Amino acid sequence: MAASNRPGLTRQTLIDTALRLLNEVGLDGLTVRRLATELGVQSPALYWHIRTKQELLNEIADAIVQAPGMGPPDPGESWQDWLTRRAHAYRQSLLAHRDGARIVANAQGLSTRTIQALNAELGGLAAYGFTPVLALRTITAVTNYATGFVLREQTDRPASTPDAWLEGLTGLLSGGASAPLLIALRDGGSPVGDEAFEYGLRLLVTGTAATLAS
């Protein structure tokens, strides 16, 4: 039996296996050859389903974007609650995969399914008074914010404990322990985390509400 016709070797099998492998070896360790080995086939067998590594990464990115679910607000759900829910689910989908934000940020193009789902979201927001332009800009702003935020979360690796890090900063700043940056970090916690994400998201939702009202 030809390798390309191997039972179970489908495009979806490739994506599912690639996502699992991604969590084990990271983006830099994920190669077509490594994926073929994981599947127990020769590399050429994969080219029946994917032509390049970038195409594979595009498929992985699409799976990550689609995983939390896309679509317009539920009946009776405010657009603010929908946008907040959508942002939280998207962030968690990115965080669920090693280097998830890097892959999505570097994806080239959207799949037909994602484009159709995005179009449905724009249509759903029209019921709340959004123009197509405002709807697209709002969704784009929130997804870009979440992607960039998670990129920081997945790449920042403190070299020491938070207390040791703050102690090190004390000697670098004029004013010592009373420096505004140190006060902000002590009182507000890490600028990368759940509370920080929530704060930025609230600003985007509030700003969108003000724009919609005007």
Side-chain angles (χ1 to χ4, degrees):
M1 177 179 295
S4 59
N5 295 323
R6 179 176 179 269
L9 185 55
T10 64
R11 194 179 186 88
Q12 189 59 50
T13 300
L14 298 185
I15 304 308
D16 293 342
T17 304
L19 282 168
R20 177 171 53 79
L21 190 58
L22 174 68
N23 291 333
E24 297 175 6
V25 301
L27 176 56
D28 296 331
L30 180 62
T31 64
V32 173
R33 177 178 295 183
R34 185 73 177 267
L35 178 59
T37 300
E38 189 74 11
L39 289 165
V41 299
Q42 298 296 315
S43 295
L46 303 188
Y47 295 120
W48 287 85
H49 305 283
I50 54 169
R51 291 167 292 182
T52 64
K53 181 179 178 180
Q54 184 59 54
E55 185 175 336
L56 172 64
L57 296 180
N58 291 344
E59 291 284 353
I60 294 174
D62 194 65
I64 293 173
V65 169
Q66 286 283 338
M70 294 181 65
D74 294 331
E77 183 178 29
S78 70
W79 69 262
Q80 294 95 329
D81 288 344
W82 170 80
L83 192 61
T84 300
R85 173 172 63 81
R86 187 187 191 283
H88 286 159
Y90 176 60
R91 176 180 174 232
Q92 291 306 313
S93 184
L94 293 173
L95 286 171
H97 302 285
R98 183 175 172 183
D99 296 324
R102 281 179 63 196
I103 289 180
V104 171
N106 289 287
Q108 298 177 2
L110 300 173
S111 71
T112 299
R113 186 175 64 161
T114 297
I115 291 173
Q116 291 172 341
L118 177 59
N119 186 63
E121 291 181 338
L122 301 187
L125 289 178
Y128 298 88
F130 282 74
T131 65
V133 172
L134 179 58
L136 180 59
R137 288 180 176 174
T138 298
I139 293 173
T140 300
V142 170
T143 54
N144 285 347
Y145 166 66
T147 301
F149 195 94
V150 174
L151 189 62
R152 282 282 312 278
E153 290 184 286
Q154 293 184 323
T155 55
D156 282 1
R157 296 291 184 268
S160 57
T161 64
D163 289 341
W165 183 63
L166 288 175
E167 184 177 345
L169 283 178
T170 302
L172 297 176
L173 302 171
S174 59
S178 62
L181 176 57
L182 289 174
I183 293 174
L185 291 172
R186 283 198 303 266
D187 295 349
S190 171
V192 179
D194 292 344
E195 290 187 15
F197 180 80
E198 194 66 30
Y199 177 79
L201 180 58
R202 283 200 305 270
L203 290 182
L204 287 169
V205 173
T206 301
T208 299
T211 301
L212 188 62
S214 64

